[in-house]
Amino acid sequence: MSEWLFTSDLHGQGALYEQLVALVAAHRPSALLLGGDLAPPAAGAEGVRSQRRFLQGFFVEFARRVREAAPGLELLLLMGNDDWGANLDVLEAHDGALWRVVHGRARR
């Protein structure tokens, strides 16, 4: 039986992402599902831009590190109600390489 880890509502908190890397390294699950609210809360046009910077920088690096911690790990992502949909293209740009975007999709 394969082990999955699930979490949500990390809201861009670096310490929580670091704990998640450690959990993945310790348990080596076959899949990690992040169920939304990935980026720090932010409002308005500047909020969209700051979340974009977070996703393109910190979050991409997090994905690389978590996959190094558990080779073969499948990282699955959903955006949450606090994540700006205008930044979905950032996630889509790495879909299939670093992670799988599962919002509105079925995955086996």
Side-chain angles (χ1 to χ4, degrees):
M1 183 165 97
S2 62
E3 182 177 58
W4 283 51
L5 291 178
F6 170 82
T7 192
S8 65
D9 298 283
L10 299 180
H11 292 283
Q13 296 180 54
L16 295 178
Y17 280 102
E18 290 303 317
Q19 289 176 19
L20 194 50
V21 172
L23 282 170
V24 166
H27 293 275
R28 302 212 182 237
S30 58
L32 169 62
L33 175 58
L34 299 181
D37 293 342
L38 308 170
E46 180 51 36
V48 173
R49 287 189 294 275
S50 69
Q51 284 192 358
R52 178 172 290 273
R53 285 189 300 271
F54 172 83
L55 294 170
Q56 290 173 327
F58 179 91
F59 195 74
V60 165
E61 183 57 29
F62 158 77
R64 289 184 177 126
R65 290 182 57 228
V66 81
R67 290 174 55 109
E68 287 173 4
L73 172 85
E74 186 165 23
L75 179 56
L76 306 167
L77 307 177
L78 292 167
M79 292 187 93
N81 63 310
D82 284 344
D83 297 320
W84 283 97
N87 291 324
L88 180 59
D89 64 315
V90 175
L91 299 182
E92 294 286 355
H94 297 283
D95 187 52
L98 288 176
W99 52 63
R100 297 282 181 194
V101 178
V102 296
H103 183 81
R105 301 175 185 161
R107 188 87 186 135
R108 227 171 234 270

